[in-house]
Amino acid sequence: LGALARQLELPHPLWLPAAWLFAACGRPWWLRRWLTPARHGGDRTPLELPAGGLEPGLGGGAEATLGLGWSWAEPGGRWTDGPEAVLRFRVPAPLAAELELELVPFLAPGSPRRRLEVLLDGAPVGAADWRGDELHHRAVRFELDRGLEPGRTHELRLVVRNPCSPHAAGLNFDPRALGVFVERLRLL
C-alpha cells in the first residue's frame, strides 16, 4: 500500500480510501481545492524549472512541481486527469516572453472537440483548440504579458474542457478523464 500511496503522491497509505472516494465522485473541483494543502504537505517548495524545460514523464523529476489533476508518469509525458491540472514552479532569474507546451490532446472517436485554457498566476494566458478523432502532436506557444519573478512560486493551471475517459469512449477500461498528454513545458 505504501508504494501505491507514493505513486498517487499521497502523504500516507491511510489516504487511499479518500483518494478512491474522490475519484468515484468525479473529482469535484471544490473538493480538489480543499484537499490541495493536505496532498502537498502544505509547505512543499516547488522546484526551479530546468533550463531545457520540464518533462513530466518517467524520470523527468517533475513530481515536486505537480499539483492536483495529473495522472501517473508515463514514458514520454503525463496525462492531465480531470478538468484541470496545476503545476507550481520557480524560475532562477527574471525571464520568459513565451510559454511553450508540447502536448497531445486525447480525442476519441466521436468525442467533442478538446479545448485547453492556460492560466498563469490566475491570469489567462491563452487557449488551444483541437477537433477530430485522432491524436495531434502539437507545440503550442503563448506570449506572456509579464516576465516571471525569480524566487516566487508561480502557478500554471491547465483547464481542459470536456475531458474524456477511454472507457466512456469504448476504447478500453481506463477510467481516467484524459485531457492532454504533456510532454514538455518550456519558458522561452
Side-chain angles (χ1 to χ4, degrees):
L1 289 179
L4 182 58
R6 282 189 299 280
Q7 177 75 21
L8 296 173
E9 299 176 13
L10 298 173
H12 192 275
L14 292 176
W15 278 81
L16 286 169
W20 289 323
L21 182 59
F22 177 68
C25 291
R27 297 177 173 87
W29 65 268
W30 56 270
L31 190 53
R32 241 179 236 248
R33 296 177 194 277
W34 183 74
L35 290 174
T36 299
R39 179 170 183 198
H40 294 291
D43 61 348
R44 191 160 112 179
T45 303
L47 295 177
E48 288 185 355
L49 281 183
L54 180 73
E55 297 178 0
L58 284 173
E63 284 74 21
T65 63
L66 300 178
L68 291 173
W70 295 95
S71 187
W72 55 81
E74 298 181 28
R78 190 181 295 243
W79 285 103
T80 60
D81 187 0
E84 61 181 57
V86 176
L87 188 133
R88 291 181 184 84
F89 62 93
R90 295 175 183 258
V91 293
L95 63 96
E98 286 186 319
L99 165 69
E100 181 182 75
L101 294 167
E102 293 178 27
L103 45 82
V104 178
F106 178 71
L107 296 169
S111 76
R113 69 185 179 116
R114 194 73 58 237
R115 179 174 179 82
L116 172 69
E117 297 171 4
V118 180
L119 293 89
L120 181 63
D121 296 331
V125 171
D129 290 288
W130 294 269
R131 291 182 186 272
D133 58 359
E134 58 187 64
L135 292 179
H136 302 275
H137 181 269
R138 184 164 153 194
V140 291
R141 286 189 177 185
F142 303 104
E143 288 200 28
L144 303 178
D145 292 338
R146 59 182 170 80
L148 299 176
E149 302 170 28
R152 177 175 173 231
T153 299
H154 297 280
E155 180 181 273
L156 182 71
R157 186 174 299 272
L158 306 179
V159 179
V160 179
R161 301 293 175 205
N162 302 320
C164 182
S165 160
H167 180 69
L171 298 175
N172 58 36
F173 292 105
D174 187 346
R176 297 176 293 168
L178 303 179
V180 293
F181 186 74
V182 179
E183 297 172 344
R184 180 190 308 247
L185 173 142
R186 293 191 309 160
L187 294 169
L188 307 170

